[in-house]
Amino acid sequence: MTQQQPESRAVALRGIVKRFPGVLANDHVDLTVAPGEIHALMGENGAGKSTLMSILYGLSHPDEGTIELDGRSVTFSSAAQAIDTGVGMVQQGFALFNSLTVTDNVVFGAEPTRFGLLDRRRSRAAVAELIERHGLRLRPGDKVGDLPVGVRQQVEILKLLYRRARVLILDEPTAVLTPAETDRLFDVLRGLAADGHTILFVSHKLHEVLALSDNVTVLRDGRVTLRTATADTDRAALAAAMTGRDVELDKIYPTGSPGDIVLSAQGLTVAGHGKPALDDVSLEVRAGEVVGVAGVAGNGQTELVAAIAGLRALDAGTVTVLGKDIGRLAVRERRAAGLAHIPEDRVETGSAQGAKLGDNLATGFQRRLARRGWLRPGRIRDHAREIVEKFGVRAANQDVPMRTLSGGNQQKAILGRELTHDAPVLLVEQPTRGVDIGAVVNIHRQLIEYRDAGHALLLVSAELSEIRALADRVLVMYEGRVVAELTKDEATYTALGLAMAGGAS
Ligand SMILES: Nc1ncnc2c1ncn2[C@@H]1O[C@H](COP(=O)(O)OP(=O)(O)OP(=O)(O)O)[C@@H](O)[C@H]1O
Ligand SMILES: [Mg+2]
């Protein structure tokens, strides 16, 4: 373990306690991080990671405990105060203005002025200088709305650097990134640490934590269960500290026994900017089969699912479900024909944050849960309890507002609700994004049960380990086309990687 002198501690949280109604979110947590250190914070969904980071960032106040920065005790009553003191946080959803440029976003609220007017030239130069110094792949004049997610995240980081943050908190920054974007982010973070910045990095991904961090702290039920130098630990030990048990990592399920074709898509074409976003794609999914779609983000996977689900109009091609042509039907009619879709942004599009958890879980089941047109509270409760238990959703009770659930628990709740619809064909995107490793194992088991009950699944995932675990067959997309089709045995990391780079035909 690295021994730190007290004065070299950039951040010291001591004895932090935070209670919410029915939950002890942080239970006497100690966390110290040195200048120039990258410190990873891990733990199950609801373990208290975001709560602890919001306390450090001044968004939330601890019930007990102290915060020290560079050896001095501080109390923040707002995020603005935290940033003035050098602490910045990139939260999960970005807070950028899409219609403005990189520079305007970065300086927003902290603009340099000249004779009381905005000094555009100076702000542009300052932003350009920071981009250069930290090796970011950004241009000051680019419009944020036109940038890919990974680049937008760099804008968020730049905002913090512009405000002279020395402590940077990133809460699950890689959840929405492609592997290449993640690598780039890690280079940036390593550079910042070498420059003396202190980085707090929240992640569920074991390989990322092992690759990036100097030290790790693991929380379980609000309490620290492990604090170690990263070099002294491994995947199994981290998993055990998080869950309190041994987790079967990297389980690969045997193939199922496919029946008749249930979903058939032929010659799907969707126009894009210049090149088609989807170029003559055909696929079939049988009952009792999981077909995985792999590819580097932005190669047509999103458009493929959107076209089948009815969210994007087809320029050519046909889609049939159970033999019925649905290619020109509205989303609702496709649902009625037996097609369900779990989008990657399911929490945003599929939940009402202010409504109760129980009511969120009842959405779409009104008819099943009603009698003579009246919703029956008892049935809503039973229905919600079933999903909560099956998917391990952790919440104080069903009556708490959705927004008080931790990020991963919201993900589990919506996924569980959608799987409960029992549709013959399921399009599912990034099913385990943001959920902890124990929950990944459970969700994988649920998806395989769904398959084995005779449903057809089209699975889009950025996690190759997930594709390998679940898919009976894998289609690899590259530049809007399916460039390879692999059996489960053929779909090794090497073969997938090669095809994803466009290297197979
Ligand atoms: N505003 C709130 N009101 C009530 N309970 C809350 C609130 N914020 C968080 N909680 C509860 O505190 C606990 C810790 O939540 P937190 O968001 O810190 O978890 P997390 O470790 O970040 O999980 P995840 O990996 O899912 O993001 C959870 O039980 C959550 O439901
Ligand atoms: Mg969180």
Side-chain angles (χ1 to χ4, degrees), residues 20 23 25 44-51 172 204 404-409:
F20 292 114
V23 190
E44 290 183 306
N45 297 130
K49 305 177 294 294
S50 295
T51 301
E172 295 190 46
H204 290 293
T404 69
L405 268 66
S406 77
N409 280 303

Side-chain angles (χ1 to χ4, degrees), residues 85-299:
T85 320
V87 180
M89 177 161 169
V90 178
Q91 283 167 285
Q92 265 228 253
F94 302 147
L96 296 171
F97 299 100
N98 286 341
S99 57
L100 299 183
T101 63
V102 169
T103 299
D104 290 341
N105 267 284
V106 167
V107 303
F108 183 82
E111 296 93 341
T113 53
R114 196 175 141 86
F115 311 122
L117 297 170
L118 291 189
D119 189 341
R120 290 191 156 265
R121 188 146 27 108
R122 231 175 79 206
S123 47
R124 221 179 149 102
V127 168
E129 197 267 326
L130 278 173
I131 289 174
E132 168 84 27
R133 174 150 36 113
H134 297 290
L136 303 174
R137 306 251 181 112
L138 285 172
R139 280 183 309 215
D142 283 350
K143 203 161 87 173
V144 163
D146 297 336
L147 301 173
V149 176
V151 181
R152 282 186 213 186
Q153 189 175 58
Q154 296 200 357
V155 180
E156 289 280 12
I157 295 174
L158 191 55
K159 252 167 87 173
L160 302 181
L161 297 174
Y162 184 81
R163 287 161 181 73
R164 301 179 194 286
R166 299 296 293 167
V167 176
L168 300 180
I169 306 167
L170 295 104
D171 196 353
E172 295 190 46
T174 62
V176 291
L177 301 189
T178 64
E181 287 173 333
T182 298
D183 288 345
R184 217 166 294 145
L185 172 69
F186 285 7
D187 286 343
V188 170
L189 295 181
R190 288 191 188 101
L192 288 169
D195 199 32
H197 289 82
T198 298
I199 315 275
L200 279 143
F201 172 74
V202 180
S203 174
H204 290 293
K205 299 182 188 170
L206 294 165
H207 61 277
E208 291 184 351
V209 166
L210 291 171
L212 180 71
S213 67
D214 301 305
N215 291 293
V216 193
T217 295
V218 178
L219 293 179
R220 172 151 40 98
D221 292 331
R223 235 169 291 153
V224 175
T225 52
L226 180 68
R227 186 182 291 127
T228 178
T230 310
D232 296 343
T233 191
D234 58 24
R235 284 157 46 96
L238 290 173
M242 275 188 269
T243 61
R245 58 191 157 84
D246 286 333
V247 180
E248 191 181 5
L249 297 166
D250 308 318
K251 179 174 169 71
I252 294 187
Y253 286 89
T255 45
S257 11
D260 295 336
I261 293 170
V262 182
L263 169 68
S264 169
Q266 301 300 325
L268 302 189
T269 300
V270 169
H273 308 285
K275 272 196 215 131
L278 209 55
D279 188 0
D280 193 20
V281 170
S282 301
L283 60 88
E284 282 162 352
V285 189
R286 293 171 178 272
E289 186 183 38
V290 178
V291 172
V293 178
V296 174
N299 278 282

